[in-house]
Amino acid sequence: MTDISEACRAVLDQPDPIAKVKAARKAARDWRMGRLEQRFTVAMPDRPARTDRPPLLPPSRMPKRGRAGSERARIAMLHALAHIEYVAIDLAFDLVGRFGAMFPPRFIDDWMKVGAEEAMHFALLERRLNAYGARYGDLPAHDGLWEAAEETAGDPMARLAVVPMVLEARGLDVTPSLISRFEAARDMRSGGIMRRIAEDEIGHVAAGVAWFRFLCDRERIDCVQNWQSQVRRHFRGAIKPPFNDSSRDKAGLTKEMMAGVAAPCDLSHTGRVADGGAIPDSG
Ligand SMILES: [Fe+2]
Ligand SMILES: [Fe+2]
């Protein structure tokens, strides 16, 4: 019988996007059906397997891609979003495979479900790209997302503090403007996909908050102060308002928590997706 770590590793070791989606769905389904042994016998890789498409560039070297509202800009947005979801699949299964043994089985339930949802998000965006005559891998993508995983590879508290609670939460802030951009260009399908993703992502952030709190309670330490110090230690970027307060609230990220880590408000840095292709969040 395959165990949890082997099923997670199979996802991370699969570079082909479509095969990765299949491996992710299989792992989540097998767990749900009780077909995975609750053991962790293999280690997770330092980096997931990748093909040469898309070429990965540092965020600063991402090309400008088309006038806002143009078809080219929409393809660039969908491609950048698909890349985030592709990396988010690996982030979810790495979390389960790397740290799952330290948690009760409900942790595996939650993050296997997250992983399956990230795979669905990727598949929806890839299908949307196909409708535009494009596909994932056609454009360069930025290589910043796995850095947070490497930075927090040794500590589940740091990982939860940064990946779901900072990066995925950032997605909650930028999604409403992405939805408006697609809908302003009469691309209602892409807008609809983003609405669905936005709903799911609240759940991903909420799972991050809940399991971070679980660890804090277990160690009897203050959750808010500890989160803020983890973020200052392990997250190099700035956490920039404006925040989507209602979505953050639903996920359990309170104003009190945000107040201790937020950078001064600078509206000029938000929503750079269509211009630079760099989306500073995780799916
Ligand atoms: Fe997510
Ligand atoms: Fe996602």
Side-chain angles (χ1 to χ4, degrees):
M1 194 181 192
T2 307
D3 72 35
I4 295 169
S5 63
E6 290 168 325
C8 293
R9 173 112 204 186
V11 177
L12 290 153
D13 283 346
Q14 179 52 260
D16 177 71
I18 302 303
K20 189 187 286 292
V21 166
K22 282 196 184 139
R25 287 179 167 161
K26 180 173 171 11
R29 190 173 54 243
D30 283 350
W31 170 250
R32 244 186 0 257
M33 309 286 281
R35 292 195 292 242
L36 294 183
E37 203 181 341
Q38 210 176 315
R39 271 159 43 96
F40 296 81
T41 54
V42 299
M44 296 303 108
D46 292 339
R47 290 184 71 81
R50 295 281 182 257
T51 63
D52 52 2
R53 300 178 68 252
L56 297 177
L57 300 177
S60 56
R61 286 190 46 219
M62 290 293 292
K64 298 247 179 217
R65 293 206 208 90
R67 188 170 43 80
S70 66
E71 184 172 309
R72 231 172 116 218
R74 284 200 297 287
I75 292 171
M77 264 201 291
L78 289 166
H79 195 279
L81 292 161
H83 178 64
I84 286 167
E85 299 294 350
Y86 175 82
V87 180
I89 301 171
D90 288 327
L91 288 169
F93 288 94
D94 187 77
L95 181 63
V96 175
R98 187 177 295 271
F99 301 117
M102 304 174 186
F103 290 90
R106 279 186 302 110
F107 177 89
I108 319 285
D109 295 344
D110 282 358
W111 295 103
M112 285 280 189
K113 178 167 178 281
V114 170
E117 287 176 356
E118 308 296 21
M120 191 237 316
H121 298 166
F122 174 83
L124 288 168
L125 291 162
E126 166 72 344
R127 206 180 309 154
R128 215 42 219 134
L129 278 170
N130 298 162
Y132 276 107
R135 65 189 180 116
Y136 177 62
D138 284 355
L139 298 171
H142 75 91
D143 193 21
L145 288 175
W146 196 257
E147 278 170 21
E150 287 178 331
E151 167 67 28
T152 59
D155 179 2
M157 206 175 248
R159 174 67 63 87
L160 290 165
V162 171
V163 172
M165 294 174 75
V166 172
L167 299 178
E168 290 198 89
R170 183 72 190 136
L172 304 181
D173 301 331
V174 300
T175 308
S177 88
L178 297 176
I179 294 170
S180 329
R181 280 193 230 179
F182 282 122
E183 293 185 348
R186 294 260 160 268
D187 182 350
M188 299 307 177
R189 284 224 170 155
S190 299
I193 289 169
M194 291 313 296
R195 282 177 197 280
R196 177 172 182 177
I197 289 177
E199 271 308 301
D200 290 343
E201 295 302 335
I202 293 174
H204 301 180
V205 178
V209 174
W211 286 107
F212 184 79
R213 282 192 181 279
F214 171 89
L215 289 178
C216 293
D217 291 348
R218 193 160 73 181
E219 295 189 18
R220 298 177 192 279
I221 49 179
D222 181 84
C223 181
V224 173
Q225 275 175 17
N226 179 41
W227 180 64
Q228 291 168 342
S229 76
Q230 293 283 350
V231 170
R232 280 191 283 267
R233 195 171 336 143
H234 295 288
F235 183 69
R236 275 184 290 274
I239 304 181
K240 293 186 192 111
F243 300 129
N244 182 339
D245 290 327
S246 80
S247 293
R248 281 178 178 267
D249 244 36
K250 280 189 209 162
L253 279 176
T254 60
K255 287 204 174 110
E256 181 200 6
M257 291 166 86
M258 297 316 302
V261 293
C265 191
D266 177 0
L267 292 167
S268 68
H269 283 82
T270 58
R272 291 171 49 235
V273 181
D275 329 313
I279 307 178
D281 63 350
S282 148

